[in-house]
Amino acid sequence: MKAPQPPSILSFLRDLPNLCSLVGLACTVCAIYFSVIGVYYAAMIGMVWAVAFDWADGLIARRMHGRTGDDKIFGGQLDVLIDIVSYGVAPALLLLSFGQFAPIFLVGAFVMIATSALRLSYFSTYGLSEGAKYTGLALDNNSLVIVFVFLLEGVVTTTAFTVVLFITCLCLSALNVSQLKTNKLSGNPRNVYALAAYCIAATTFFGWKLA
């Protein structure tokens, strides 16, 4: 008897959570693009909406019925791969660009991507700890914190803000790979509403700064 043929790669696009994940990836690509060309306020909008779609894909997946085991495994793998881009690569490129691609910022960028990879590998191996908590600060917090810190841009001098951004990124990286136990924020409806308000507020503020 022949083994059943695996489904085609593109067949997984029929799964709504995967489409949601890819929309989040599109937001991240926009954030990377705007970071590279120096339009940082637009990059902030892309970063915060990438988090929103990342949370949304999990919420949709948990409420959908009829998803196969393959759908769940594929979706989980897709989510992890997108996370390394959204919460590792995108913030690292933002840091590099804001630092005018000076060599010292290359070190910070590497640290951010390396710790993100370690954090995701650990989660893929061990999952949630006892009490359904993450070990290490969840990576989506990186974008949320960086977007918040960017409120200082323009308030303090460029040099001072560059230092603040660099230190913030290093601190986030350290927390990502720490033994800190944190709750899964996306599992609480209140946090979902808070994130929606945060996204709208950030989009409004940074959109106004762009105008």
Side-chain angles (χ1 to χ4, degrees), residues 185-204:
L185 298 179
S186 60
N188 188 323
R190 292 182 185 175
N191 294 331
V192 174
Y193 292 129
L195 176 63
Y198 186 61
C199 287
I200 293 169
T203 301
T204 301

Side-chain angles (χ1 to χ4, degrees), residues 141-153:
N141 291 284
N142 291 0
S143 292
L144 296 176
V145 170
I146 289 170
V147 169
F148 183 79
V149 168
F150 241 85
L151 295 174
L152 293 174
E153 200 277 332

Side-chain angles (χ1 to χ4, degrees), residues 68-89:
T68 66
D70 286 344
D71 288 335
K72 295 175 182 177
I73 293 171
F74 186 95
Q77 291 297 317
L78 180 64
D79 197 52
V80 168
L81 291 172
I82 290 175
D83 282 355
I84 189 67
V85 180
S86 297
Y87 309 133
V89 175

Side-chain angles (χ1 to χ4, degrees), residues 5-19 22 64 67-68 70-71 74-75 78:
Q5 290 295 315
S8 68
I9 296 172
L10 293 180
S11 69
F12 288 98
L13 289 177
R14 293 196 297 264
D15 195 32
L16 184 58
N18 293 337
L19 287 174
L22 291 174
M64 281 185 66
R67 296 182 81 221
T68 66
D70 286 344
D71 288 335
F74 186 95
L78 180 64

Side-chain angles (χ1 to χ4, degrees), residues 14-76:
R14 293 196 297 264
D15 195 32
L16 184 58
N18 293 337
L19 287 174
C20 197
S21 296
L22 291 174
V23 173
L25 179 60
C27 292
T28 296
V29 171
C30 289
I32 290 172
Y33 170 77
F34 286 119
S35 292
V36 171
I37 66 174
V39 186
Y40 301 113
Y41 297 145
M44 293 303 101
I45 295 172
M47 287 176 68
V48 77
W49 281 103
V51 178
F53 283 105
D54 181 30
W55 283 30
D57 67 28
L59 292 171
I60 293 169
R62 286 191 289 273
R63 285 164 174 74
M64 281 185 66
H65 300 289
R67 296 182 81 221
T68 66
D70 286 344
D71 288 335
K72 295 175 182 177
I73 293 171
F74 186 95

